[in-house]
Amino acid sequence: MNTASAPTLSVLDAIRQRHAVRTYTATPLAPGAVQTLLDAAIRAPTAMHEEPWEFLVIRDKDVLSLLGQRAKATLARAGRGAATPEMARLHDAFADPQFDIFYGAPALIVVGSLQTGGFVEADCWLAAENLLLCACSLGLGSCVIGLAVAALNDARTKADLGIPAGFHAVAPIVVGVPAPGAASAPTARKPPHVLLWK
Ligand SMILES: Cc1cc2nc3c(=O)[nH]c(=O)nc-3n(C[C@H](O)[C@H](O)[C@H](O)COP(=O)(O)O)c2cc1C
């Protein structure tokens, strides 16, 4: 459901049901839905009430495509001579021209900041989690795309896309309507490992 209002899940239900979605329909993400997601993001707790977060909203297919290509090229370079099997697997995926790191999602929302400071990243991740849960609550799919961080923070890419040079991307998140057949169940978790409970 691509709607800007009428969340259908409680917070607890959204926490329990949220999962990474990696197949999307081409349905554009409506500006109202984007605004609802941003409004949820900025309700996150923030150290010393600094609200350091800034957002990039990218819905343009050509821009998403360019960013995806840049990210793959950056990561393929970094993955050469990869030390771990996982990096080697990713390196192969990046070499595949068909592999879309954004999974065909109609929108990428990037949480980041123009500020530096000890808690800036924490604030951005808290905002990101609010956004992810809000998306789930609205019936939208989402996925954090850590693979896009390096490209988003690359000076040439910033200049080409009009991203302010001082912006530091922290949490890129794709959002959209899950395609039929997309994973619809939450993934498993280990039980909480409590080291101290007095
Ligand atoms: C910091 C971070 C970076 C991530 N980067 C990617 C990514 O680049 N591509 C991707 O498909 N999933 C990415 N994910 C999603 C994780 O793979 C996913 O959250 C994890 O497998 C657990 O699955 P779940 O979200 O469905 O519970 C990322 C998640 C986090 C927290």
mmCIF file of all heavy atoms in Angstrom, residues 113-131:
data_model
loop_
_atom_site.group_PDB
_atom_site.id
_atom_site.type_symbol
_atom_site.label_atom_id
_atom_site.label_comp_id
_atom_site.label_asym_id
_atom_site.label_seq_id
_atom_site.Cartn_x
_atom_site.Cartn_y
_atom_site.Cartn_z
ATOM 1 N N SER A 113 24.331 13.526 7.228
ATOM 2 C CA SER A 113 24.461 14.788 7.961
ATOM 3 C C SER A 113 25.532 15.675 7.349
ATOM 4 O O SER A 113 26.466 15.188 6.693
ATOM 5 C CB SER A 113 24.815 14.486 9.422
ATOM 6 O OG SER A 113 24.870 15.681 10.166
ATOM 7 N N LEU A 114 25.378 16.948 7.578
ATOM 8 C CA LEU A 114 26.420 17.917 7.225
ATOM 9 C C LEU A 114 27.326 18.161 8.422
ATOM 10 O O LEU A 114 28.327 18.859 8.324
ATOM 11 C CB LEU A 114 25.778 19.246 6.794
ATOM 12 C CG LEU A 114 24.972 19.207 5.490
ATOM 13 C CD1 LEU A 114 24.122 20.464 5.341
ATOM 14 C CD2 LEU A 114 25.915 19.054 4.293
ATOM 15 N N GLN A 115 26.950 17.588 9.551
ATOM 16 C CA GLN A 115 27.714 17.806 10.782
ATOM 17 C C GLN A 115 28.623 16.609 11.076
ATOM 18 O O GLN A 115 28.376 15.506 10.602
ATOM 19 C CB GLN A 115 26.768 17.969 11.977
ATOM 20 C CG GLN A 115 25.833 19.153 11.876
ATOM 21 C CD GLN A 115 24.939 19.243 13.111
ATOM 22 O OE1 GLN A 115 25.367 18.949 14.222
ATOM 23 N NE2 GLN A 115 23.705 19.646 12.906
ATOM 24 N N THR A 116 29.635 16.870 11.910
ATOM 25 C CA THR A 116 30.425 15.775 12.454
ATOM 26 C C THR A 116 30.285 15.851 13.969
ATOM 27 O O THR A 116 29.965 16.894 14.508
ATOM 28 C CB THR A 116 31.914 15.907 12.079
ATOM 29 O OG1 THR A 116 32.363 17.204 12.487
ATOM 30 C CG2 THR A 116 32.131 15.752 10.594
ATOM 31 N N GLY A 117 30.504 14.765 14.608
ATOM 32 C CA GLY A 117 30.375 14.770 16.066
ATOM 33 C C GLY A 117 30.120 13.361 16.530
ATOM 34 O O GLY A 117 29.695 12.499 15.749
ATOM 35 N N GLY A 118 30.362 13.152 17.799
ATOM 36 C CA GLY A 118 30.347 11.807 18.360
ATOM 37 C C GLY A 118 29.041 11.060 18.198
ATOM 38 O O GLY A 118 29.035 9.835 18.117
ATOM 39 N N PHE A 119 27.919 11.778 18.180
ATOM 40 C CA PHE A 119 26.627 11.084 18.152
ATOM 41 C C PHE A 119 25.861 11.277 16.844
ATOM 42 O O PHE A 119 24.708 10.877 16.747
ATOM 43 C CB PHE A 119 25.764 11.544 19.333
ATOM 44 C CG PHE A 119 26.317 11.113 20.666
ATOM 45 C CD1 PHE A 119 26.826 12.050 21.556
ATOM 46 C CD2 PHE A 119 26.330 9.768 21.021
ATOM 47 C CE1 PHE A 119 27.352 11.644 22.778
ATOM 48 C CE2 PHE A 119 26.846 9.371 22.248
ATOM 49 C CZ PHE A 119 27.364 10.303 23.125
ATOM 50 N N VAL A 120 26.498 11.905 15.871
ATOM 51 C CA VAL A 120 25.792 12.179 14.614
ATOM 52 C C VAL A 120 25.337 10.876 13.948
ATOM 53 O O VAL A 120 24.186 10.742 13.516
ATOM 54 C CB VAL A 120 26.672 13.019 13.658
ATOM 55 C CG1 VAL A 120 26.066 13.075 12.267
ATOM 56 C CG2 VAL A 120 26.852 14.425 14.212
ATOM 57 N N GLU A 121 26.236 9.909 13.876
ATOM 58 C CA GLU A 121 25.884 8.642 13.223
ATOM 59 C C GLU A 121 24.782 7.923 14.002
ATOM 60 O O GLU A 121 23.874 7.347 13.400
ATOM 61 C CB GLU A 121 27.113 7.739 13.101
ATOM 62 C CG GLU A 121 28.159 8.326 12.192
ATOM 63 C CD GLU A 121 28.651 7.359 11.104
ATOM 64 O OE1 GLU A 121 28.370 6.161 11.215
ATOM 65 O OE2 GLU A 121 29.282 7.837 10.153
ATOM 66 N N ALA A 122 24.866 7.973 15.321
ATOM 67 C CA ALA A 122 23.829 7.325 16.138
ATOM 68 C C ALA A 122 22.471 7.952 15.847
ATOM 69 O O ALA A 122 21.469 7.253 15.648
ATOM 70 C CB ALA A 122 24.179 7.457 17.622
ATOM 71 N N ASP A 123 22.430 9.273 15.819
ATOM 72 C CA ASP A 123 21.166 9.960 15.535
ATOM 73 C C ASP A 123 20.632 9.560 14.156
ATOM 74 O O ASP A 123 19.429 9.335 13.979
ATOM 75 C CB ASP A 123 21.362 11.479 15.572
ATOM 76 C CG ASP A 123 21.518 12.023 16.992
ATOM 77 O OD1 ASP A 123 21.536 11.219 17.945
ATOM 78 O OD2 ASP A 123 21.608 13.258 17.142
ATOM 79 N N CYS A 124 21.533 9.493 13.184
ATOM 80 C CA CYS A 124 21.100 9.142 11.818
ATOM 81 C C CYS A 124 20.540 7.720 11.774
ATOM 82 O O CYS A 124 19.534 7.460 11.102
ATOM 83 C CB CYS A 124 22.251 9.293 10.833
ATOM 84 S SG CYS A 124 22.671 11.011 10.489
ATOM 85 N N TRP A 125 21.178 6.791 12.486
ATOM 86 C CA TRP A 125 20.669 5.414 12.472
ATOM 87 C C TRP A 125 19.332 5.299 13.193
ATOM 88 O O TRP A 125 18.465 4.505 12.791
ATOM 89 C CB TRP A 125 21.699 4.451 13.068
ATOM 90 C CG TRP A 125 22.741 4.048 12.068
ATOM 91 C CD1 TRP A 125 24.071 4.337 12.092
ATOM 92 C CD2 TRP A 125 22.522 3.308 10.861
ATOM 93 N NE1 TRP A 125 24.693 3.815 10.978
ATOM 94 C CE2 TRP A 125 23.764 3.181 10.204
ATOM 95 C CE3 TRP A 125 21.393 2.740 10.269
ATOM 96 C CZ2 TRP A 125 23.908 2.499 8.987
ATOM 97 C CZ3 TRP A 125 21.534 2.070 9.065
ATOM 98 C CH2 TRP A 125 22.774 1.959 8.444
ATOM 99 N N LEU A 126 19.172 6.086 14.267
ATOM 100 C CA LEU A 126 17.867 6.058 14.946
ATOM 101 C C LEU A 126 16.778 6.594 14.018
ATOM 102 O O LEU A 126 15.674 6.046 13.944
ATOM 103 C CB LEU A 126 17.929 6.872 16.241
ATOM 104 C CG LEU A 126 18.745 6.204 17.359
ATOM 105 C CD1 LEU A 126 19.103 7.206 18.445
ATOM 106 C CD2 LEU A 126 17.967 5.035 17.949
ATOM 107 N N ALA A 127 17.100 7.658 13.289
ATOM 108 C CA ALA A 127 16.140 8.195 12.314
ATOM 109 C C ALA A 127 15.858 7.152 11.232
ATOM 110 O O ALA A 127 14.713 6.982 10.787
ATOM 111 C CB ALA A 127 16.689 9.485 11.693
ATOM 112 N N ALA A 128 16.912 6.448 10.823
ATOM 113 C CA ALA A 128 16.746 5.426 9.787
ATOM 114 C C ALA A 128 15.802 4.321 10.257
ATOM 115 O O ALA A 128 14.931 3.863 9.511
ATOM 116 C CB ALA A 128 18.111 4.834 9.415
ATOM 117 N N GLU A 129 15.975 3.887 11.504
ATOM 118 C CA GLU A 129 15.099 2.817 12.006
ATOM 119 C C GLU A 129 13.649 3.292 12.070
ATOM 120 O O GLU A 129 12.721 2.545 11.709
ATOM 121 C CB GLU A 129 15.584 2.337 13.385
ATOM 122 C CG GLU A 129 14.719 1.279 14.043
ATOM 123 C CD GLU A 129 14.776 -0.107 13.374
ATOM 124 O OE1 GLU A 129 15.332 -0.225 12.280
ATOM 125 O OE2 GLU A 129 14.229 -1.061 13.954
ATOM 126 N N ASN A 130 13.434 4.536 12.498
ATOM 127 C CA ASN A 130 12.064 5.073 12.482
ATOM 128 C C ASN A 130 11.480 4.990 11.070
ATOM 129 O O ASN A 130 10.327 4.616 10.872
ATOM 130 C CB ASN A 130 12.071 6.544 12.904
ATOM 131 C CG ASN A 130 11.874 6.723 14.390
ATOM 132 O OD1 ASN A 130 12.008 5.781 15.163
ATOM 133 N ND2 ASN A 130 11.563 7.947 14.809
ATOM 134 N N LEU A 131 12.311 5.373 10.096
ATOM 135 C CA LEU A 131 11.848 5.376 8.697
ATOM 136 C C LEU A 131 11.494 3.952 8.240
ATOM 137 O O LEU A 131 10.457 3.722 7.603
ATOM 138 C CB LEU A 131 12.938 6.002 7.828
ATOM 139 C CG LEU A 131 12.557 6.455 6.430
ATOM 140 C CD1 LEU A 131 13.499 7.574 5.968
ATOM 141 C CD2 LEU A 131 12.583 5.339 5.424
#
